[in-house]
């Protein structure tokens, strides 16, 4: 009787796991026409989709690289236009497709990307939503390989408060997923030197090019406006002006939310 009960329980667990895996494997809808354009090489950015989605500035010597972990149930193509824009500023950018669209199953994916580009001397890791949780775990294990960690609408699940790694958190005021309240309650888990920014009138889905049908949250600004601010904050963190870099710690403690 006990053996039969155990077999039933195991069978139900396998069905549950299989159901979740099947659901996660089908990504949220994204704007395919826009992303297709972003995945086409031109004289400014070279695109490679063989192993990852990589965007390399053309005709430039590149020493900085950015790796993005997409959120759960999110196709890597969703962020192609955003990362291409960042590459156009002279930074190598790589979006890492995750097994079953689940970053928890690919926490160490950044390692292979870094190994493939030995010419890059500075690496920054970005995670959106659940991708940020996975990015945090990689940073916790290998902080020496990174020059910075960036959370887009996300927060760490484990304690990183003693991690001596420059960190940026860019949250959205109208985010109903990674809400401002969740960011605030998890603030003690962030590295102590984290800079916190909250974008006004912004939401969870306009960090990338999710399909408009996905955007059920309020937004008082356009996607283009939110992405412009997102990229400006991200680029300023990666390439701060000398004066900003010197006074960033003291300013951040007073200026940002």
């Amino acid at each position: 009787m006990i053996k039969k009960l155990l077999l039933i329980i195991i069978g139900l667990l396998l069905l549950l796991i299989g159901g979740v895996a099947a659901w996660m494997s089908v990504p949220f809808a994204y704007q395919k026409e826009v992303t297709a354009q972003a995945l086409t090489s031109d004289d400014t950015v070279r695109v490679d989709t063989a192993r990852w989605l990589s965007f390399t500035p053309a005709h430039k010597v590149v020493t900085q690289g950015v790796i993005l972990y997409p959120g759960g149930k999110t196709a890597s193509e969703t962020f192609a236009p955003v990362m291409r824009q960042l590459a156009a500023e002279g930074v190598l950018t790589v979006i890492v497709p995750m097994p079953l669209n689940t970053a928890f199953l690919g926490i160490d994916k950044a390692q292979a990307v870094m190994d493939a580009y030995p010419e890059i001397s500075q690496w920054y890791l970005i995670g959106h939503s659940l991708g940020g949780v996975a990015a945090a775990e990689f940073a916790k294990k290998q902080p020496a390989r990174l020059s910075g960690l960036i959370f887009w609408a996300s927060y760490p699940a484990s304690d990183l408060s003693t991690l001596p790694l420059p960190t940026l958190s860019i949250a959205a005021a109208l985010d109903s997923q990674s809400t401002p309240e969740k960011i605030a309650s998890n603030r003690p888990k962030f590295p102590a030197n984290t800079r916190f920014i909250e974008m006004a009138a912004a939401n969870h889905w306009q960090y990338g090019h999710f399909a408009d049908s996905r955007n059920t949250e309020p937004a008082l600004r356009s996607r283009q406006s939110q992405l412009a601010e997102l990229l400006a904050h991200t680029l300023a963190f990666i390439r701060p002006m000398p004066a900003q870099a010197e006074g960033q710690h003291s300013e951040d403690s007073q200026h940002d939310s």
Side-chain angles (χ1 to χ4, degrees):
M1 181 67 180
I2 295 178
K3 184 177 180 180
K4 184 177 181 181
L5 181 60
L6 286 174
L7 289 174
I8 292 174
I9 293 174
I10 292 172
L12 290 174
L13 287 174
L14 290 175
L15 283 173
L16 177 62
I17 293 171
V20 171
W23 183 75
M24 291 294 291
S25 67
V26 180
F28 292 129
Y30 59 90
Q31 298 182 346
K32 293 186 177 181
E33 183 177 340
V34 178
T35 57
Q37 295 174 357
L39 292 172
T40 302
S41 298
D42 60 18
D43 292 339
T44 304
V45 177
R46 299 192 307 273
V47 183
D48 186 354
T49 61
R51 189 173 179 185
W52 311 287
L53 302 188
S54 64
F55 305 85
T56 305
H59 314 301
K60 291 183 180 179
V61 176
V62 182
T63 60
Q64 292 181 307
V66 173
I67 301 169
L68 173 68
Y69 282 6
K73 201 174 165 62
T74 300
S76 53
E77 290 87 349
T78 306
F79 291 95
V82 184
M83 299 304 277
R84 185 194 177 99
Q85 283 183 263
L86 191 57
E89 298 294 333
V91 181
L92 168 73
T93 62
V94 180
I95 310 173
V96 184
M98 291 297 179
L100 297 177
N101 299 311
T102 305
F104 291 119
L105 302 179
I107 289 175
D108 295 325
K109 290 282 187 178
Q111 181 76 52
V113 176
M114 294 176 182
D115 292 344
Y117 295 95
E119 71 276 15
I120 301 299
S121 58
Q122 293 182 331
W123 283 105
Y124 294 83
L125 184 58
I126 300 175
H128 176 254
S129 193
L130 288 175
V133 180
E137 292 306 308
F138 178 85
K140 189 175 183 178
K141 292 194 297 183
Q142 299 205 54
R145 297 219 64 179
L146 296 173
S147 294
L149 175 64
I150 304 173
F151 292 91
W152 284 358
S154 186
Y155 48 86
S158 60
D159 185 9
L160 304 184
S161 59
T162 60
L163 190 68
L165 183 67
T167 303
L168 175 65
S169 167
I170 309 177
L174 301 179
D175 194 329
S176 65
Q177 308 296 313
S178 301
T179 64
E181 292 76 19
K182 289 180 181 178
I183 300 292
S185 64
N186 284 280
R187 191 161 177 158
K189 296 179 183 177
F190 283 85
N193 64 352
T194 299
R195 181 181 185 188
F196 292 90
I197 294 173
E198 183 177 284
M199 298 187 294
N203 70 23
H204 193 79
W205 304 105
Q206 292 189 161
Y207 281 78
H209 280 73
F210 292 91
D212 290 334
S213 59
R214 211 34 257 157
N215 192 3
T216 57
E217 296 179 348
L220 302 179
R221 66 197 295 183
S222 67
R223 185 194 312 271
Q224 182 179 5
S225 171
Q226 179 171 328
L227 289 178
E229 181 179 355
L230 176 69
L231 289 171
H233 290 312
T234 301
L235 194 60
F237 178 73
I238 294 172
R239 291 179 170 173
M241 298 295 289
Q244 291 176 331
E246 184 177 345
Q248 182 171 313
H249 181 76
S250 59
E251 179 186 348
D252 291 345
S253 64
Q254 303 173 41
H255 186 267
D256 296 312
S257 61

